[in-house]
Amino acid sequence: IVGNASDDARTLLRLVNKVGNDLMLTVDWQILRKEQTFSALAQEVQTSILPSDFNRFVPVTFYNRNTGQNIEGPIQSSEWQQIKANAGVAAQPYFIYRGGVVSILPTLTAGHTLAFEYISNQWAQSSTATPQTSLQADTDTGVIDEDLITLGAIFEYLQSEGQPSEVAYDMYRSRREALVNSDQRNS
């Protein structure tokens, strides 16, 4: 399918990648959870800490490993501005994520080890198990359940063609719910 000039083949590949991406965006799959650790800088903005496959933070997993203190967030802009208006003084550390950058207040001690869990955007992999953000070759596979991705692509295809898609959607939704429930029970 990859590289095929047929409109149908290109449509199917686009839909499979759409479903894989949608599944990555809407569920905190265990297979996509990763941990990032880094050394804090003695400044508000913590530069170069997000890994290249970062999609989003897993809630309530950002900690200062030296103090054992949770760094709460990401908080809303209004909360951040309130902390800033109070000269950045807060007993509890907070972080905001905006513009691809993480900022933390109050300013941390340089060298402290910080860690957080995140969801990777790499829901696919090459035939050599190299993580990827999409299927790029016919030998690539999904790290998210491939049968689920297939059912989602069938539903999307039928819907895009104006064909009856209710049965396909029910099959996709049912498998998705079962897999999500199983995955989340094990988190």
Side-chain angles (χ1 to χ4, degrees):
I1 288 221
V2 175
N4 190 320
S6 157
D7 286 342
D8 286 338
R10 291 188 1 232
T11 296
L12 288 174
L13 180 61
R14 180 181 55 77
L15 291 175
V16 166
N17 281 322
K18 175 190 181 308
V19 170
N21 197 56
D22 288 349
L23 289 167
M24 177 273 300
L25 289 170
T26 58
V27 178
D28 290 349
W29 301 101
Q30 295 298 318
I31 193 82
L32 298 180
R33 280 186 175 212
K34 295 186 178 181
E35 180 180 79
Q36 175 74 349
T37 60
F38 64 98
S39 293
L41 302 173
Q43 60 189 38
E44 179 180 309
V45 177
Q46 302 297 307
T47 57
S48 304
I49 66 165
L50 296 177
S52 61
D53 66 333
F54 177 85
N55 178 265
R56 65 187 175 278
F57 292 96
V58 174
V60 197
T61 63
F62 204 151
Y63 277 86
N64 182 328
R65 292 211 172 146
N66 293 83
T67 65
Q69 196 168 28
N70 174 254
I71 302 171
E72 194 172 312
I75 62 173
Q76 298 295 318
S77 294
S78 58
E79 295 172 278
W80 184 256
Q81 292 306 323
Q82 183 179 18
I83 293 168
K84 296 281 285 186
N86 291 315
V89 177
Q92 167 74 38
Y94 295 92
F95 80 97
I96 190 168
Y97 174 61
R98 62 179 177 200
V101 175
V102 173
S103 298
I104 302 173
L105 284 175
T107 302
L108 301 168
T109 302
H112 275 204
T113 300
L114 305 182
F116 60 84
E117 288 187 16
Y118 68 98
I119 301 298
S120 170
N121 61 12
Q122 296 176 333
W123 62 268
Q125 64 184 357
S126 71
S127 61
T128 60
T130 302
Q132 301 174 167
T133 59
S134 64
L135 299 181
Q136 301 168 14
D138 288 340
T139 55
D140 293 349
T141 58
V143 296
I144 297 172
D145 185 84
E146 287 193 304
D147 289 336
L148 178 62
I149 293 171
T150 301
L151 288 171
I154 291 168
F155 162 69
E156 292 285 348
Y157 180 77
L158 290 172
Q159 190 175 42
S160 73
E161 294 294 310
Q163 299 295 318
S165 59
E166 295 81 15
V167 172
Y169 177 73
D170 288 343
M171 292 172 62
Y172 171 65
R173 182 185 47 77
S174 177
R175 182 160 182 92
R176 184 180 187 277
E177 285 177 8
L179 290 170
V180 167
N181 289 337
S182 174
D183 190 75
Q184 301 309 303
R185 271 196 310 268
N186 297 319
S187 63

